[in-house]
Amino acid sequence: MTIQQMNNVGIVVDDLAAAIAFFAELGMELEGQAAIEGSWADRAVGLDGIRCDIAMMVTPDGHGRLELSQYHSPALLPSPRNQPHNILGTHRVMYTVDDLDDTIARLRRHGGELIGEVSRFDEHTRICYFRGPAGIIIGLAEYK
């Protein structure tokens, strides 16, 4: 048996509203929000007493989804926010954007920070890594 599709990527955040605003500025749309709790969630995730709010963000083409989760119970476990990209288990989500410079400027207004610098991958591609809410690392690529 093979997989049918990739459903979403999940990221835990400490400020759901700020994360929604950041990814909306990137161009994603809020598809929906829900409160998650109950024994089914405890069993699925392997934690007891889960209470969290989630927001599902979707890319404009409707194919990519990002699930943002803010836990109220059990309490969030702290992690360093400025980890380098080569830490085991560190994830990034890569997005293609129309205008890399404009996107960087808009995301900076939401507290985002460029990690390194904008680099040219090849003659048609500019790329960078960017840190957003809760230390999330995203990749941004512009193809021209």
Side-chain angles (χ1 to χ4, degrees), residues 37-132:
E37 61 184 316
S39 61
W40 70 270
D42 292 356
R43 289 191 310 272
V45 178
L47 294 171
D48 292 324
I50 287 179
R51 269 190 336 98
C52 73
D53 294 319
I54 65 166
M56 189 66 72
M57 305 294 293
V58 63
T59 56
D61 66 3
H63 295 290
R65 285 182 172 70
L66 184 66
E67 180 181 300
L68 303 169
S69 302
Q70 181 178 358
Y71 277 81
H72 304 291
S73 171
L76 286 173
L77 298 176
S79 70
R81 289 185 180 246
N82 294 321
Q83 295 183 37
H85 191 263
N86 63 337
I87 299 290
L88 285 175
T90 298
H91 304 281
R92 67 105 175 104
V93 181
M94 178 67 78
Y95 295 95
T96 300
V97 298
D98 293 331
D99 183 331
L100 187 57
D101 297 320
D102 177 65
T103 302
I104 290 169
R106 289 185 295 110
L107 293 179
R108 280 185 168 147
R109 291 193 296 263
H110 290 271
E113 301 174 5
L114 196 59
I115 292 175
E117 59 187 60
V118 176
S119 298
R120 186 159 294 283
F121 175 73
D122 59 29
E123 65 183 271
H124 302 290
T125 310
R126 293 172 65 219
I127 189 170
C128 69
Y129 279 20
F130 203 83
R131 193 176 309 279

